[in-house]
């Protein structure tokens, strides 16, 4: 993954108070009519910090003293649903690709 996303997250973490949490959510699909959605566009702040383009996700930055952690919550990999939604990365692949400390299913968020 491109290192500038990690650098951007680290810059934000450095500016945060010692005992703080930042939660940045991705954009959700917006309905145009009952069965039609608008073209998807990721939320700008979320994309700026992690580069993740899927919907229904969240980035959580945690700072405790000098210790920092990054958590990415994504939709679980479900091959049956991918026929309709397109391929999803899933938590395991997201952790490595986006260089976060932990990746979890959005269902646990």
């Amino acid at each position: 993954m491109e290192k500038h996303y990690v650098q951007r997250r680290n810059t934000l973490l450095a500016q945060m108070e010692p005992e703080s949490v930042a939660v940045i959510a991705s954009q959700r699909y917006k309905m145009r009519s009952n069965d039609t959605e608008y073209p998807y566009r990721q939320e700008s702040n979320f994309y700026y910090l992690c580069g993740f383009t899927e919907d229904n996700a969240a980035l959580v930055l945690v700072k405790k003293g000098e210790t920092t952690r990054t958590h990415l919550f994504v939709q679980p990999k479900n091959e049956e649903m991918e026929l309709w939604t397109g391929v999803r990365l899933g938590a395991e692949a997201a952790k490595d690709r986006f260089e976060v400390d932990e990746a979890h299913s959005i269902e646990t968020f």
Side-chain angles (χ1 to χ4, degrees):
M1 192 65 208
E2 299 169 30
K3 297 289 182 190
H4 60 272
Y5 296 115
V6 175
Q7 292 171 345
R8 291 171 182 170
R9 289 193 301 261
N10 289 338
T11 300
L12 177 57
L13 282 161
Q15 295 173 1
M16 291 170 57
E17 294 294 321
E19 301 294 324
S20 58
V21 175
V23 179
I24 302 97
S26 70
Q27 189 64 266
R28 293 188 177 252
Y29 277 102
K30 295 185 179 173
M31 297 302 292
R32 179 178 293 184
S33 63
N34 286 338
D35 60 352
T36 307
E37 299 162 338
Y38 285 102
Y40 184 74
R41 181 186 181 280
Q42 185 58 276
E43 201 279 327
S44 297
N45 295 314
F46 182 82
Y47 186 79
Y48 180 81
L49 291 170
C50 65
F52 191 63
T53 58
E54 294 179 16
D55 67 312
N56 198 22
L59 177 67
V60 178
L61 305 174
V62 180
K63 185 171 184 179
K64 292 183 180 181
E66 294 300 315
T67 305
T68 62
R69 301 285 295 169
T70 56
H71 303 265
L72 183 61
F73 293 84
V74 300
Q75 291 194 43
K77 187 133 181 83
N78 182 336
E79 292 182 15
E80 186 175 315
M81 284 301 296
E82 287 178 359
L83 292 171
W84 306 102
T85 62
V87 176
R88 299 277 182 190
L89 196 57
E92 290 181 24
K95 181 180 185 295
D96 295 330
R97 182 168 178 194
F98 295 100
E99 298 181 30
V100 293
D101 296 315
E102 295 181 35
H104 310 277
S105 170
I106 192 69
E107 296 166 351
T108 63
F109 185 70

